[in-house]
Amino acid sequence: LDWWRADRYCEQHFAQLLLEPQDSEQASLSQLLQSHHIGGSVWLHERGSVLHRPKRRRDHIVPVLVFRDKTNTKYAKVLSDFPALPAVTACAHLQWDTRTQEIATIFSYAVPAFINEFQLRGFVDEEGFVRFALIVHGHHSPYLPVFRADRQWHHFCVTWQQDNGMWAIYADGKRRASASGLCAAGPSAPQAIYGQGTFIIGQDQDSLGGTFRERESFSGNITDLHIWQKVLSTEQVERVRSCWVVEQDLVFGWSSNALEVESTIQEVTTQFLCPGPVEECRVFEVGSSGFRYTPCLQPLPFICRYRKDAYWQLKKAQQESSHSLTSRVNMLAERTVIPENVFTSDVQDMNLSVALGALDVLAAVLREGETPVLESSDLLSVLQLLKQVSDVEVQEGEELEMLEQLGQYYVEVTELILEEQNVQTWSSVSQVIKGPMAVVELCDRMVSHLAPLLTAGRTKITIQHGNIGLHRLTVKNMWFGYGSLQRCLSGAGGTAAFQATAASDRGQKSLSTLVGTTVISSALLSDYQEISTSVRYRLQHRVQVPQGRWETPCVFSVSLLYVSPDAGGMWSTAGCSVVTSLLDSTACFCNHTTNFAVLLQVYEMQQRTTKEELTLQTLTFIGCGVSFCALTVTFILFLAVGVPKSERTTVHKNLIFALAAAEALLMFSELAKTNQAMCFTVTACLHLFFMAAFSWMLVEGLLLWSKVVVVNMSEDRRMKFYYVTGWGLPVLIVGVTLATSFNKYVADNHCWLNIQTNVIWAFVGPVLFILAVNTFVLCRVVMVTVSSARRRSKMLTPNSSLENQIGVQIWATAKPVLVLLPVLGLTWVCGVLVHLSIVWAYVFIVLNSLQ
């Protein structure tokens, strides 16, 4: 098959084309293929390739003009009135006659004031290339090679614009030549191409509409000539090459009725295969173990590659199948509609009539409900058929009533396989089809076929069955109701995937995440091609929310890059935001179009009342104020009293300064919320000073350890190490966090780190580490203190009672704990328990106020 059909075949069989092997795999793969008598070239699906199958490749039935030989009589005249053209693009498909190397005129446009007003000429050079030259106002561009003279069909476009005489020549979708200055020289402004002229195909006009010469005539075949009064973009040239007509500013469209054709020119109607967006595809050379590119339309062998887990699941479904659905459908249709083996079904391209008949029979069998629960193999067979139908290429001239009926059957079959009783079946093929979002992707492909139904008299189409519907205007919409998709998503492992999509910044416990609305798909169409645009939409909640609190992030489903729709898709909030959120609905804004839904994130109801929240805020402010005043007084006393300089006093002063600065910023951080820049600065300073406070708490622990365990390090070296730990480490952490997460650094509602992302771990991670180290230090200090107290007690009072000895040991334990808990910052451990009860919140505030 050609590359496109081979790729389609593998996708329809839940696989993909053979991936490009690694260097170490090439020789063994080549030997394996040769052992199965496979040689020559095989198609590859390139790793990281941008090669995508176009949404619609079709046979284009067009009239072709055959200029069999060079003569001075054969011509075709365009019967259109040409306006003045300040810019122009002319495109066509042609086959070049290689029997002669003389100059040939593809077309010429003449006006009374200027015979050589607009003209395209070419010839075959000695190296076998066709060279083109453009003539405007009698000014001649150089002859430049554009494509090989290989007797194949080639597409070309020529563009010109009045400004600076800019011109370009495209061949087979690629720009081959371009330059400026193709206009009259001198002080006068460049002139537009004059209107009301005569356009002749195949001859050079030496007088207006006549006086042709044989040696300058065209010999070959030409079709699909279109002319626009503007310069087409590269993307538009590519679309025209693929048989999509750009309607805007079109001056002449190819039609036999718009041509005056000389009688000796042969007119034939040809089924012309529209080229795809990429002409050459990668192949693996069996035997030589090399790679090369070859035309994608060339029929070559191919290999479909399965993931191992998907293959074994397919195999199991095939072996356990009773084939009841398959046999009933095939018997009713009196032919093979659904093959019994999903691996070995024949390669067949459906037309509209065959697809309509197949879905009609399948819908009838599913509607009967004799098999209420589908088997795994039945579900896979139905999906395989839906894939084939979604790839049907609608030919020109086919009955459009059949197309609308096909849409009706497609929607009905989709609704039936998404029924609640099939939840377990979806789960059983989760490695092959990762969730029912694959059906959404298939419906999206199918609805694109409804384009021919839109006319000036019929501007919209709506097809609905149960909870699923298709609606097509200039905007294409689809919806999948809660009943048809929610339970299947949950049963197919969807809920587990959703639970990681959002987090609460209020310390609440997440109960579940549900698809709480209809899933919709939206796309904007231009010239039957999808373009992305921003969209605002409102979705009604369709799920009963349990008692508790919920958040409603706007999410969309996107298929994983380079993975077929069978991957099921994943949910993301990128580019989407909540506009308004009510109990019964949510309004969202997204900067793109795709598949949308609202996930309801349900949280456990907090027991805090408004009064309790206000009390906590007040206590926090008072506690920070008391702590700040105490720290300030202590710092002044250290400076004023003249405490002897030592390691301990230096460490205490640094800890006091860092903690006081952090407390002061925390008290007034609420005032900075309204100013984004100020809030960002306050957040960074809070992060720095709190990290510095904890770092100096770590230094306090290390200092204690150095007094308990003999450390062979001088005091000067220790202090340098302490300063690096106390200030250098916080600066490094904050700097790295800002550099890697600048746009995600600040929370939405207050001036602190964003806990919706991993940024919060730039604070929580180091703090947990420091608390763990200081806890170990505290335990070691307590053990040494208790041991020393026991020995001293025995030496000083050897005859004391047991009660006195126990009392001495308890005091020896309690004293260092009470003194060192705040110094080492271990009172912050209560912060981990705040979400369990409001009591812990009060305890946390009081303890840290007294630190």
Side-chain angles (χ1 to χ4, degrees):
L1 301 178
D2 63 50
W3 191 96
W4 307 109
R5 295 180 66 201
D7 183 61
R8 184 191 309 167
Y9 177 89
C10 290
E11 185 199 347
Q12 290 172 359
H13 289 75
F14 311 104
Q16 67 176 157
L17 277 177
L18 181 69
L19 288 172
E20 179 179 327
Q22 302 286 358
D23 293 342
S24 59
E25 302 171 342
Q26 293 177 16
S28 58
L29 175 62
S30 184
Q31 291 175 2
L32 176 66
L33 296 180
Q34 286 177 321
S35 68
H36 287 78
H37 308 290
I38 300 174
S41 303
V42 294
W43 289 124
L44 286 178
H45 191 285
E46 300 177 62
R47 297 178 189 269
S49 170
V50 295
L51 184 65
H52 295 291
R53 180 168 54 87
K55 291 186 179 296
R56 230 177 144 208
R57 291 186 73 248
R58 56 197 176 100
D59 292 333
H60 189 43
I61 301 174
V62 290
V64 176
L65 299 183
V66 179
F67 294 81
R68 192 169 300 278
D69 298 299
K70 295 173 73 72
T71 69
N72 62 356
T73 58
K74 294 181 179 179
Y75 73 94
K77 180 180 179 181
V78 174
L79 302 177
S80 293
D81 293 329
F82 285 83
L85 301 173
V88 63
T89 299
C91 299
H93 285 90
L94 60 77
Q95 282 180 310
W96 198 272
D97 186 355
T98 59
R99 294 174 297 173
T100 176
Q101 292 186 327
E102 291 183 335
I103 289 176
T105 305
I106 297 117
F107 63 75
S108 63
Y109 176 74
V111 295
F114 224 122
I115 298 300
N116 293 327
E117 181 67 355
F118 180 45
Q119 189 176 129
L120 181 65
R121 300 157 68 92
F123 72 93
V124 179
D125 65 13
E126 295 178 353
E127 297 178 354
F129 282 93
V130 175
R131 291 176 173 264
F132 275 1
L134 189 62
I135 300 175
V136 178
H137 299 319
H139 297 277
H140 203 298
S141 76
Y143 282 98
L144 296 170
V146 290
F147 55 81
R148 283 196 172 275
D150 51 10
R151 299 185 181 180
Q152 300 297 318
W153 280 103
H154 292 277
H155 181 262
F156 75 86
C157 286
V158 293
T159 68
W160 177 87
Q161 57 184 333
Q162 179 178 336
D163 297 336
N164 298 324
M166 290 290 299
W167 61 274
I169 298 177
Y170 295 82
D172 298 323
K174 298 178 181 178
R175 181 181 294 187
R176 304 297 185 183
S178 63
S180 60
L182 196 60
C183 56
S188 61
Q191 297 293 317
I193 294 175
Y194 292 107
Q196 306 306 314
T198 302
F199 196 103
I200 298 294
I201 301 171
Q203 294 286 356
D204 176 21
Q205 305 175 59
D206 284 343
S207 62
L208 188 62
T211 316
F212 307 138
R213 289 186 289 183
E214 178 180 329
R215 62 186 181 87
E216 294 181 342
S217 64
F218 173 70
S219 177
N221 304 327
I222 189 168
T223 186
D224 249 4
L225 174 68
H226 293 79
I227 304 169
W228 293 265
Q229 54 181 345
K230 69 172 184 178
V231 173
L232 297 186
S233 66
T234 304
E235 292 78 12
Q236 289 174 321
V237 169
E238 175 61 28
R239 287 164 64 184
V240 171
R241 185 176 79 95
S242 300
C243 307
W244 295 103
V245 177
V246 178
E247 300 288 348
Q248 186 179 10
D249 296 320
L250 183 66
V251 176
F252 169 72
W254 186 251
S255 171
S256 298
N257 297 328
L259 293 172
E260 176 189 302
V261 182
E262 194 268 332
S263 59
T264 60
I265 292 180
Q266 184 180 2
E267 292 185 75
V268 297
T269 301
T270 300
Q271 194 174 32
F272 186 75
L273 182 62
C274 299
V278 178
E279 280 198 316
E280 292 187 333
C281 300
R282 199 163 173 82
V283 295
F284 176 67
E285 293 291 342
V286 181
S288 64
S289 299
F291 304 100
R292 68 180 179 88
Y293 284 89
T294 192
C296 297
L297 294 177
Q298 180 179 348
L300 288 176
F302 64 96
I303 299 170
C304 293
R305 173 184 175 272
Y306 288 89
R307 287 182 297 106
K308 189 176 294 185
D309 50 359
Y311 175 82
W312 288 116
Q313 203 167 70
L314 276 168
K315 199 80 172 176
K316 180 181 178 182
Q318 193 70 36
Q319 292 171 349
E320 296 176 354
S321 174
S322 64
H323 302 296
S324 57
L325 177 71
T326 301
S327 57
R328 286 210 314 278
V329 170
N330 293 340
M331 182 179 66
L332 188 60
E334 298 180 346
R335 63 182 184 85
T336 301
V337 173
I338 300 178
E340 292 190 353
N341 192 322
V342 296
F343 290 108
T344 58
S345 58
D346 295 334
V347 179
Q348 56 178 353
D349 286 334
M350 283 191 172
N351 58 33
L352 189 57
S353 177
V354 172
L356 182 62
L359 283 190
D360 185 10
V361 173
L362 178 59
V365 172
L366 292 174
R367 207 183 301 124
E368 291 171 2
E370 293 184 14
T371 307
V373 179
L374 291 176
E375 296 179 354
S376 300
S377 60
D378 294 338
L379 178 60
L380 292 172
S381 296
V382 172
L383 288 172
Q384 190 176 47
L385 180 62
L386 291 178
K387 285 171 178 282
Q388 289 180 309
V389 174
S390 66
D391 288 327
V392 166
E393 297 180 351
V394 181
Q395 305 297 334
E396 294 182 5
E398 290 188 300
E399 297 182 15
L400 298 184
E401 293 77 7
M402 295 171 60
L403 185 57
E404 186 167 359
Q405 188 63 49
L406 183 69
Q408 294 280 3
Y409 288 143
Y410 200 97
V411 171
E412 182 178 1
V413 170
T414 302
E415 165 73 11
L416 291 170
I417 64 174
L418 287 176
E419 291 293 342
E420 184 176 354
Q421 64 265 22
N422 294 321
V423 168
Q424 293 302 319
T425 308
W426 280 99
S427 299
S428 68
V429 292
S430 59
Q431 297 300 322
V432 183
I433 301 287
K434 295 192 176 179
M437 285 303 295
V439 176
V440 177
E441 298 291 343
L442 289 175
C443 288
D444 190 55
R445 282 157 57 177
M446 173 60 203
V447 73
S448 299
H449 293 317
L450 302 180
L453 295 175
L454 296 174
T455 62
R458 186 181 187 185
T459 58
K460 65 179 181 180
I461 305 159
T462 301
I463 299 174
Q464 184 169 0
H465 188 278
N467 286 321
I468 299 178
L470 312 176
H471 177 77
R472 189 179 183 103
L473 192 59
T474 304
V475 177
K476 175 182 66 178
N477 291 316
M478 297 190 300
W479 62 93
F480 292 78
Y482 166 79
S484 64
L485 202 57
Q486 165 64 53
R487 294 180 180 86
C488 287
L489 281 170
S490 302
T495 302
F498 304 150
Q499 291 199 11
T501 59
S504 172
D505 62 352
R506 305 180 184 88
Q508 298 162 319
K509 181 181 178 182
S510 175
L511 296 178
S512 63
T513 307
L514 304 172
V515 180
T517 66
T518 295
V519 177
I520 65 172
S521 175
S522 181
L524 183 65
L525 303 174
S526 175
D527 293 326
Y528 304 125
Q529 295 290 305
E530 292 184 9
I531 58 175
S532 186
T533 185
S534 59
V535 60
R536 185 188 296 265
Y537 60 94
R538 177 179 291 277
L539 291 173
Q540 297 292 326
H541 298 166
R542 305 289 293 276
V543 59
Q544 293 295 321
V545 181
Q547 186 175 3
R549 295 187 63 173
W550 64 87
E551 292 186 350
T552 54
C554 297
V555 299
F556 62 93
S557 170
V558 292
S559 294
L560 296 171
L561 198 59
Y562 307 124
V563 179
S564 72
D566 304 330
M570 64 180 181
W571 295 96
S572 171
T573 57
C576 293
S577 59
V578 176
V579 179
T580 57
S581 182
L582 306 175
L583 289 177
D584 62 342
S585 65
T586 299
C588 299
F589 173 82
C590 288
N591 60 12
H592 56 277
T593 53
T594 180
N595 303 321
F596 300 105
V598 170
L599 300 189
L600 296 179
Q601 288 215 253
V602 185
Y603 290 92
E604 187 176 40
M605 174 67 80
Q606 288 283 11
Q607 300 302 317
R608 296 176 189 171
T609 63
T610 305
K611 184 178 179 181
E612 289 173 336
E613 292 284 354
L614 182 61
T615 303
L616 286 173
Q617 290 178 6
T618 305
L619 281 176
T620 300
F621 188 83
I622 294 172
C624 286
V626 171
S627 180
F628 177 75
C629 292
L631 290 167
T632 303
V633 171
T634 307
F635 190 79
I636 292 173
L637 286 174
F638 267 110
L639 298 177
V641 174
V643 177
K645 185 178 180 182
S646 66
E647 284 181 319
R648 182 172 297 175
T649 56
T650 302
V651 172
H652 284 346
K653 284 191 285 186
N654 279 279
L655 172 58
I656 290 168
F657 176 77
L659 198 55
E663 300 276 10
L665 282 168
L666 184 62
M667 283 191 293
F668 298 102
S669 62
E670 289 295 306
L671 302 178
K673 284 198 306 185
T674 56
N675 187 312
Q676 186 176 0
M678 183 64 70
C679 187
F680 189 96
T681 304
V682 168
T683 300
C685 291
L686 276 172
H687 189 191
L688 175 64
F689 284 113
F690 269 119
M691 277 308 312
F694 276 99
S695 297
W696 282 106
M697 292 176 202
L698 176 63
V699 171
E700 293 275 9
L702 296 176
L703 182 62
L704 275 173
W705 184 263
S706 70
K707 304 301 181 182
V708 174
V709 181
V710 178
V711 179
N712 187 21
M713 183 184 291
S714 66
E715 184 174 331
D716 290 340
R717 290 176 62 191
R718 277 205 304 265
M719 283 310 303
K720 290 179 181 178
F721 173 72
Y722 291 159
Y723 273 112
V724 169
T725 303
W727 291 111
L729 188 62
V731 170
L732 178 65
I733 292 173
V734 174
V736 170
T737 307
L738 287 171
T740 56
S741 305
F742 189 84
N743 295 325
K744 306 174 184 176
Y745 189 68
V746 183
D748 293 331
N749 301 320
H750 46 268
C751 300
W752 181 234
L753 300 179
N754 187 352
I755 68 171
Q756 300 281 358
T757 62
N758 292 326
V759 170
I760 190 62
W761 287 102
F763 177 73
V764 174
V767 166
L768 291 177
F769 172 76
I770 291 170
L771 294 180
V773 171
N774 282 356
T775 301
F776 178 75
V777 170
L778 178 62
C779 293
R780 186 74 177 92
V781 169
V782 169
M783 290 171 60
V784 171
T785 304
V786 170
S787 177
S788 298
R790 186 185 300 118
R791 287 196 302 269
R792 186 168 58 251
S793 176
K794 287 181 179 180
M795 291 173 59
L796 297 177
T797 56
N799 298 321
S800 62
S801 63
L802 180 62
E803 290 81 2
N804 288 337
Q805 291 181 12
I806 293 174
V808 169
Q809 291 184 17
I810 291 175
W811 176 243
T813 303
K815 181 180 178 181
V817 169
L818 292 174
V819 172
L820 296 179
L821 270 177
V823 175
L824 299 179
L826 296 181
T827 53
W828 285 77
V829 173
C830 297
V832 180
L833 308 174
V834 165
H835 70 284
L836 298 178
S837 170
I838 194 172
V839 175
W840 285 109
Y842 290 128
V843 172
F844 176 71
I845 291 172
V846 172
L847 288 179
N848 286 286
S849 298
L850 301 175
Q851 186 179 14

